[in-house]
Amino acid sequence: MNNLNRREFIKTTAVAGVAALTSPVLSSEIASAQTKGKTFKPIAISSGNGTKALEKTMELIKKGSDALDAVVAGVNIVEDDPNDMSVGYGGLPNEDGVVELDAAVWHGPSFRGGSVASIRNIKNPSKVAKLVLERTDHVLLVGEGALKFAKAHGFPEENLLTDKAREAWLKWKENLSKEDDWLPPHSIEDTDIGEIISKYTRTYGTIHISAIDLNNNLSCCTTTSGLAFKIPGRVGDSPIIGAGLFCDNEVGSAGSTGRGEANLLNLSSAMIVEWMRQGKSPEQACIMACERVQHRCKEKRLLDEKGRFKHGVTFYAINKDGEYGGANLWEGGTYLIHDGTEVKKIECAFLHKRDDK
Ligand code: GLY
């Protein structure tokens, strides 16, 4: 590059740089103006417990709702449902019998996230997570602070422990054995401690939804009561951006359900989006997340006799073009897609066959 050209180059790039710096943060309204007159095919993906949630999400998106508003309204149905014992009201409590909820949201067009962890007495943590995004300079609020923030915004405190959940907790407590999360000093080679495949309904259930709205903007939400009978204060992957969900409006959106510890150690959702950025399909990216969890787990107590990661972890992803995919470490997982017409149940890709003994 000669001097003149270099000066020109610097001038041009400097102007471009200033323009980039002074451009307002892209809001959904701005994105909407940019795509004026053009509407895109909406799509929404969820975990298997999201049929009604997806119907709500798509109903709102078709009316022109921003994807974030739509996914939060969708998951609110499951948070309100006492019969889903993995999310919100009626969720299984911690080991003290207290329900603690985790949730996070991500808004693609503004590239912002919000989350709450270990929040008690508030039925809809996803709504509080959205308010953290919209009404604070923070990303994550936890415990007492998250509760105070929710109350400041008018959320009522409610008892979230249903009789059904309390009875399940009591049964677990009455059968306490090695099925809790406290580990004595041990070696990475130990296989007979901390066994957590349970007869007593210890689940990691959760709901995740990622969606594309009519303006081709992506957003997502993950919300959960977390691992049943967890140590109080345990935070799973759901409220941790990059672990239980991630989204890049230029690339795609991803989330997960299942053993949160695996995603906290692998930042699985961020990795899925990055793999999609590199050209992988959503399904390929989800399988790569499964492989990463499997490959990096060195703790024998978490592996079966063939060295396979024992737990289920399911990944869900959509890309900017509306392609979608899901994968679980184990055969038999499913996910749901709403393609604008109806909800479809789809078999997940998987790493391990169940009968592969
Ligand atoms: N994936 C939900 C949890 O582990 O809390």
Side-chain angles (χ1 to χ4, degrees):
M1 189 183 288
N2 64 33
N3 280 347
L4 185 65
N5 280 348
R6 187 179 298 124
R7 261 204 305 279
E8 281 303 304
F9 173 76
I10 290 166
K11 202 170 111 193
T12 314
T13 51
V15 168
V18 169
L21 282 175
T22 55
S23 294
V25 174
L26 203 60
S27 69
S28 55
E29 289 76 20
I30 294 164
S32 162
Q34 285 175 341
T35 54
K36 210 171 171 178
K38 192 170 175 192
T39 57
F40 291 80
K41 185 174 158 45
I43 193 111
I45 190 168
S46 84
S47 41
N49 53 349
T51 303
K52 286 189 182 139
L54 277 189
E55 280 165 0
K56 184 72 184 174
T57 299
M58 193 51 73
E59 177 197 322
L60 292 176
I61 284 178
K62 282 173 145 182
K63 286 182 184 159
S65 173
D66 179 81
L68 178 59
D69 296 331
V71 297
V72 171
V75 300
N76 288 165
I77 292 174
V78 184
E79 287 174 336
D80 290 341
D81 178 1
N83 292 317
D84 189 317
M85 297 173 79
S86 70
V87 177
Y89 175 59
L92 289 167
N94 65 21
E95 68 176 21
D96 291 343
V98 178
V99 179
E100 290 181 331
L101 304 178
D102 296 339
V105 299
W106 184 275
H107 185 231
S110 61
F111 216 89
R112 285 190 302 166
S115 57
V116 289
S118 288
I119 189 170
R120 299 179 174 193
N121 299 347
I122 300 291
K123 214 179 200 176
N124 298 117
S126 61
K127 285 187 186 170
V128 187
K130 186 164 176 277
L131 276 172
V132 172
L133 180 160
E134 291 168 344
R135 301 286 291 272
T136 77
D137 187 36
H138 304 317
V139 173
L140 169 61
L141 296 180
V142 304
E144 193 59 31
L147 174 61
K148 276 190 184 165
F149 173 74
K151 284 165 70 179
H153 279 277
F155 285 79
E157 277 197 78
E158 295 171 73
N159 175 21
L160 304 180
L161 188 68
T162 57
D163 277 345
K164 197 171 159 193
R166 184 185 49 72
E167 279 158 19
W169 167 76
L170 197 58
K171 190 170 170 190
W172 169 78
K173 195 154 178 74
E174 287 170 348
N175 289 281
L176 270 182
S177 60
K178 57 186 180 182
E179 297 207 26
D180 63 21
D181 297 316
W182 300 82
L183 300 180
H186 67 285
S187 137
I188 200 164
E189 299 297 322
D190 286 339
T191 54
D192 62 347
I193 57 164
E195 171 57 66
I196 49 177
I197 305 268
S198 178
K199 316 188 272 269
Y200 306 111
T201 344
R202 292 198 76 197
T203 61
Y204 291 95
T206 298
I207 181 164
H208 170 80
I209 303 186
S210 283
I212 302 180
D213 63 26
L214 297 178
N215 294 314
N216 204 216
N217 286 321
L218 294 114
S219 287
C220 58
C221 175
T222 305
T223 176
T224 188
S225 50
L227 172 64
F229 322 135
K230 59 197 171 187
I231 295 176
R234 178 264 188 188
V235 174
D237 59 327
S238 305
I240 304 301
I241 287 162
L245 78 174
F246 198 66
C247 174
D248 183 321
N249 208 39
E250 293 164 6
V251 177
S253 181
S256 182
T257 59
R259 181 176 160 84
E261 281 71 12
N263 290 331
L264 287 168
L265 294 174
N266 289 290
L267 282 184
S268 308
S269 296
M271 293 305 300
I272 290 171
V273 171
E274 292 313 308
W275 286 319
M276 290 196 290
R277 191 193 307 281
Q278 291 166 12
K280 298 294 179 207
S281 72
E283 185 176 286
Q284 284 168 337
C286 289
I287 276 287
M288 287 171 80
C290 294
E291 287 168 344
R292 185 175 156 105
V293 167
Q294 173 65 51
H295 176 69
R296 290 166 51 119
C297 179
K298 306 297 176 204
E299 288 176 86
K300 292 262 167 71
R301 68 192 176 87
L302 299 176
L303 303 172
D304 72 6
E305 68 290 351
K306 287 190 166 179
R308 298 170 301 185
F309 191 73
K310 281 185 200 166
H311 296 276
V313 188
T314 313
F315 299 104
Y316 316 89
I318 52 177
N319 68 18
K320 188 77 174 169
D321 296 330
E323 295 167 332
Y324 54 83
N328 192 316
L329 272 96
W330 287 92
E331 179 182 22
T334 56
Y335 65 94
L336 303 177
I337 277 289
H338 202 312
D339 58 4
T341 315
E342 58 179 344
V343 176
K344 290 181 191 138
K345 188 170 166 179
I346 299 182
E347 296 274 318
C348 287
F350 58 89
L351 271 194
H352 306 308
K353 254 183 120 52
R354 290 223 175 259
D355 57 358
D356 189 18
K357 294 254 157 79

